[in-house]
Each structure stands twice: as C-alpha cells, then as structure tokens.
Amino acid sequence: MAVSKLWPVTNNLNKVINYATNPEKTGKDVYTEEQYQALKDVLSYAKDEEKTEQEFYVEGINCNPATARDQFISVKQAYGKEDGIQAYHGYLSFKEQDISPSLAQQIGMEFAKEVWGDRFQVVVTTHLNTKHLHCHYVVNSVSFKDGKRCQDTSWFKFRKVADRICEKYGLYYNPSPNRSKQSSYYYNLEKAGMPTRYDLARKAIDEAIRHSTNLKAFDYALTQMGYVHSLSESRKYWTIIPKGYSKPIRLKNLGDDYTEEAIRKRLIENQRINISPFENRYYKPRQYALPIRQDKIQKKSGIYRLYLYYCYKLGYLPKYKKQNVSRLHYYLKEDLMKIDKISMETRLLARENISTIEQLFSYKNSIEKEIDSLVGIRESLRRNVRKNADEIKISKIKDEISDSTRKIRELRKEITLCDGIADRSKVIDDRLKQIQKDEEKERMKGGKAR
C-alpha cells in the first residue's frame, strides 16, 4: 500500500512542522487560544503553494479549503468541544515515481471520502516537492454531523481502504506487511549493549533449550525460570511474558531462531548429544571492594537507604566503575532498563530528605495542593485574556500562563516519581531479599566444593 501516517495536532508544532515556508498571514485573530494556532499552521503547511503548484491540487471535503480553519473551529464551538486535539494531520506516500499529480490527488480524495467523508471536514492536498508524490490530509477532530470526536485514526482501521484503492488503480501495495518489527527503542538499547525485554526473552529461551530435548522439558524449564508463556498447539503463535512485564511477546518476533519450527528443530538436535537436566542457576554479582561506599549507605535509613543499596547492586554506584552486566543476577538485569527512572526517584528521596512512606505521601500531598493553586491561577489568567483587548497585556498574560503550565508540568512529574517510589520500594525490598538468599546458596555451594 501507499505509506500512511496519521498524528494528532494539539498546540506543539515544533515537532510536527519544522519546515513550513509559506504560512498564511491574516489580520487580527478572532480566536486567542494558543491551540488554535496549531490548526492554522498545519492547514497552511498542507496547502503550501511551493509544494502544490499554486494550490492547484488542494481540495476540501465538507469544507472550503480557503476558510477551512474557521469552519473547523465553528464546528467545535457549536458542540462545545474546543479543547484537546484540534485536528489530525496525515499523509499517503506512493512508491511509484511516475504517478501523475492529478491521479495522486484523485486517490487522496477517494481515500479521505471513504474514511471520513460522511461525518468530518477534510482538506486534501498533493505535494510535488519530493520524488515520491504524497497526499496530505487534515481532518477536523470533531464531526459536523453529530459533534462526536474522530475515532478513525488507527492505521489498522484504514490501511485496507488504501490497499483496495491502490489495487484499483494498478499501484503497488503489500498484501502481507510485516507489522512485527522490533521498535527502534529496543533496537538501540540492544545495540548499546543494554538488556531489553526482547533480549531477556531470547536468553531465557536459549537457556531452556540448552537443557531440553523435547517440548515438555522446554516448557518445564521456562516455568522453573519464572517465565509466563504459552506453547499451546491450539494457539496460532507461541508467546512469552518477560519478568516485570504484562505484555506478551510472540516468539516468532524474537528472530528466525525462535519460531515454532526453529525451536522444535533445536530441541531435536539436542537429542543427539548428552545434556544436563535444567537447574536454576544464579549469577553471582560482582563484589566491589568499597567498604567506604557501603558504610555511607548503611548510615542512611528507610526507603532512601533501600534505593541507594539497590543502585549499588545494579552497578550504578559508584559511577566511576563499570558494572559487568553479564554477571548480574537476572532480577538486576531486568531493572537495568529502568535505571534512569530509579536514579530520578533516588535523587528525589535525597533532595527532600524522605526516608519513610509517610514522609513520601506528605510530600506528594503538598505538591498536589501546589498544583491545584497553580491551576486556579492559570484559569484566572485565561479569563483575563478573553476579556482583555490590549495586545501588549495579552502577550504578558500569555507568558504568565506558559510559566504556570511549565511549573504544573514539573510538579506532575514529581507526583509520578512519588507514585513510582510507593510502588517500587516493596518490589525492590523483595528482590534484594531473594538476591541475598541466592547469593547465600552460591556461597554454601562454594564452601562444599572446597
């Protein structure tokens, strides 16, 4: 199919539009809300004359492209839905380079009419500034017909429409797209040598296969390792849920060596060699010779000491020494991916001198009161904007609104960290106790061996 994307437009255009070269300039704006500016800019971008040949390839569905912004806003005001997402901005990009602009625009119009045309206003344009022609569409977030917000924003909902239209006009489309590619976030983590939930799942499966000759033994090994999984014959895909997560991963998405067929083949190959039965094996963490560091941690108390010690076990403390990730306990490996969040929570505990849950909730309560106060101030400032006609005063008030919004955003981050500490502290305590037991077992085994 044609490449398709769709994203919401609110009030932050720096990430959405960074090369709009021809914004449409008008007189005094009737609407003073900052979020309306996003709607104006994205429409200007979609209709950019340098890309559309003097707007020859610009059309509207249920609206006039020249006045689309005002028509969009009128619908929102009629139904009292002026806040939140203002519109959806998307595109269809065609693989063919010999497609004519008129055909691209025709396909764009046909696609938009079928997906949104019954209930929403849409501006459709065709950009000619790249070697691959692409249609842009800007969809009002509120229906002119019933006032309901647009829900048809998922690629999975409208990709088949695009496929059918491309097939109709003899254009390329992929009948079996690969939608199971690993995200760039996990790819970059693995490339940097950091463990990910995909990497943890692969290592667990490899370990289980190493001690198994059949599917039943493989299932047993994964269960003993504490992994929730499904290898049922009645399921289309085998799945596994890494520890600390709730979302399952299809084994076939882990790579060619982890498909159902590949795993069966690897188990059969194990039957030709002598393998040891599965036993839970634990990594012995690296022992730092840092009595001074541990003494400092022991002087602290409560959940702050708990967090400091956990950071120490993770290898995050001391910072000048690099932890050997391969020798960490598997509990610690799982939390290495969350080290940034854990370190921020630790800094909050240190900064506010918090050592008990009671102190944590007291601090959270004070933050919530401060947020309520700032929200009230911001609402008062917004009312002043609507009442005031002086452009200079309005500009100053808007700066104050932005400053209040920034403070509210930072305080809400503090609330999130407090909630994270409340949830994570019990988990950390349990994990450290289990790690201590495992380390004790390893020491006992070492003593017996001698």
Side-chain angles (χ1 to χ4, degrees):
M1 63 169 282
V3 176
S4 174
K5 295 288 183 182
L6 188 72
W7 58 95
V9 177
T10 53
N11 60 355
N12 186 348
L13 294 181
N14 290 332
K15 295 181 181 179
V16 179
I17 306 164
N18 60 2
Y19 60 95
T21 58
N22 241 353
E24 183 180 343
K25 301 296 182 179
T26 61
K28 181 180 178 181
D29 201 339
V30 177
Y31 310 101
T32 59
E33 294 292 337
E34 292 180 0
Q35 56 193 10
Y36 287 173
Q37 184 62 32
L39 187 56
K40 175 181 177 180
D41 288 354
V42 78
L43 284 166
S44 298
Y45 169 76
K47 299 188 297 179
D48 190 347
E49 293 180 0
E50 291 186 5
K51 301 177 177 69
T52 60
E53 290 190 352
Q54 306 301 317
E55 296 197 5
F56 183 77
Y57 299 108
V58 177
E59 295 180 87
I61 299 173
N62 303 316
C63 65
N64 185 335
T67 59
R69 172 178 172 266
D70 291 340
Q71 292 177 7
F72 280 22
I73 293 173
S74 295
V75 170
K76 299 177 193 300
Q77 292 178 333
Y79 289 100
K81 295 185 177 180
E82 304 166 51
D83 60 340
I85 295 174
Q86 296 297 297
Y88 288 93
H89 178 203
Y91 69 85
L92 280 172
S93 180
F94 303 97
K95 182 177 182 179
E96 289 81 2
Q97 297 184 29
D98 57 349
I99 183 175
S100 67
S102 57
L103 178 58
Q105 179 70 10
Q106 181 180 344
I107 292 173
M109 286 291 290
E110 190 171 330
F111 171 80
K113 283 180 180 177
E114 183 167 346
V115 177
W116 300 291
D118 291 341
R119 299 173 53 238
F120 294 92
Q121 298 156 304
V122 190
V123 173
V124 182
T125 70
T126 297
H127 284 193
L128 318 176
N129 61 318
T130 63
K131 65 179 182 179
H132 294 284
L133 297 189
H134 52 283
C135 296
H136 281 257
Y137 37 86
V138 182
V139 186
N140 195 356
S141 60
V142 178
S143 170
F144 68 87
K145 193 171 184 179
D146 52 26
K148 294 182 179 180
R149 293 192 181 273
C150 182
Q151 302 295 327
D152 296 324
T153 60
S154 169
W155 177 75
F156 290 98
K157 287 186 177 181
F158 54 67
R159 73 173 183 85
K160 291 184 178 179
V161 177
D163 283 350
R164 178 162 36 80
I165 295 174
C166 287
E167 184 181 18
K168 172 183 173 182
Y169 289 98
L171 300 178
Y172 170 83
Y173 77 99
N174 186 357
S176 303
N178 181 8
R179 298 188 295 275
S180 62
K181 292 182 180 179
Q182 185 173 327
S183 70
S184 58
Y185 171 76
Y186 290 114
Y187 172 77
N188 290 331
L189 281 180
E190 289 185 358
K191 190 175 179 181
M194 293 291 289
T196 68
R197 68 190 190 105
Y198 288 87
D199 187 46
L200 290 172
R202 291 190 194 99
K203 289 182 178 178
I205 292 170
D206 290 340
E207 181 69 14
I209 290 177
R210 192 175 295 116
H211 299 278
S212 307
T213 57
N214 54 60
L215 199 58
K216 187 174 181 180
F218 174 61
D219 188 307
Y220 172 78
L222 285 176
T223 301
Q224 290 297 105
M225 294 169 70
Y227 283 84
V228 177
H229 58 284
S230 176
L231 309 177
S232 173
E233 298 289 348
S234 62
R235 293 179 65 93
K236 185 176 181 181
Y237 301 109
W238 287 357
T239 60
I240 187 171
I241 302 178
K243 295 176 183 178
Y245 296 89
S246 58
K247 187 177 180 181
I249 299 175
R250 292 176 179 174
L251 267 59
K252 73 180 186 66
N253 293 346
L254 297 175
D256 294 338
D257 291 336
Y258 301 91
T259 63
E260 180 178 338
E261 182 181 354
I263 289 174
R264 291 182 185 277
K265 183 178 179 181
R266 292 169 67 183
L267 291 172
I268 292 173
E269 290 175 351
N270 281 352
Q271 295 175 4
R272 304 172 185 170
I273 58 177
N274 293 324
I275 63 170
S276 60
F278 176 79
E279 292 181 7
N280 271 325
R281 300 195 309 179
Y282 301 99
Y283 294 109
K284 184 178 180 181
R286 182 175 180 178
Q287 300 297 315
Y288 290 101
L290 293 170
I292 296 177
R293 174 72 61 175
Q294 291 192 14
D295 288 344
K296 286 183 178 180
I297 292 175
Q298 292 301 321
K299 290 179 181 179
K300 306 300 179 181
S301 61
I303 53 178
Y304 179 45
R305 180 174 66 181
L306 184 72
Y307 262 79
L308 281 178
Y309 185 64
Y310 200 58
C311 288
Y312 173 76
K313 297 296 285 184
L314 286 168
Y316 190 72
L317 293 175
K319 289 186 177 181
Y320 57 81
K321 285 198 174 183
K322 188 176 181 181
Q323 178 65 285
N324 186 349
V325 175
S326 64
R327 300 182 66 183
L328 284 177
H329 191 282
Y330 61 81
Y331 276 158
L332 297 173
K333 282 188 176 183
E334 292 166 10
D335 271 352
L336 272 180
M337 292 182 288
K338 306 169 187 175
I339 189 63
D340 290 339
K341 179 69 71 175
I342 293 172
S343 62
M344 285 191 291
E345 293 171 356
T346 306
R347 285 193 289 269
L348 184 148
L349 293 171
R351 187 184 70 240
E352 302 300 329
N353 196 25
I354 296 172
S355 59
T356 66
I357 291 295
E358 290 75 16
Q359 292 174 339
L360 179 68
F361 287 140
S362 176
Y363 174 69
K364 178 183 175 183
N365 187 49
S366 66
I367 294 295
E368 289 173 339
K369 288 180 179 179
E370 190 173 352
I371 290 175
D372 291 340
S373 175
L374 286 171
V375 169
I377 293 171
R378 186 174 64 179
E379 290 302 317
S380 177
L381 291 171
R382 285 175 174 172
R383 286 194 294 270
N384 289 338
V385 168
R386 288 192 286 268
K387 294 177 182 178
N388 210 316
D390 189 334
E391 291 291 341
I392 296 177
K393 290 183 179 180
I394 288 176
S395 178
K396 291 181 179 179
I397 294 173
K398 284 186 176 181
D399 289 340
E400 293 180 29
I401 292 173
S402 298
D403 187 54
S404 297
T405 300
R406 179 184 57 78
K407 290 179 180 177
I408 291 171
R409 188 182 300 115
E410 293 301 320
L411 290 173
R412 283 176 177 163
K413 289 180 181 178
E414 293 284 288
I415 296 252
T416 301
L417 290 176
C418 289
D419 291 337
I421 293 170
D423 293 337
R424 201 191 308 276
S425 57
K426 181 64 169 65
V427 175
I428 288 178
D429 189 36
D430 292 342
R431 287 192 170 184
L432 286 174
K433 289 178 181 177
Q434 184 60 47
I435 291 170
Q436 186 177 3
K437 290 180 181 178
D438 295 341
E439 290 175 351
E440 186 62 30
K441 288 181 181 178
E442 288 293 326
R443 283 193 291 270
M444 291 177 66
K445 288 181 181 179
K448 291 178 179 179
R450 287 192 291 273

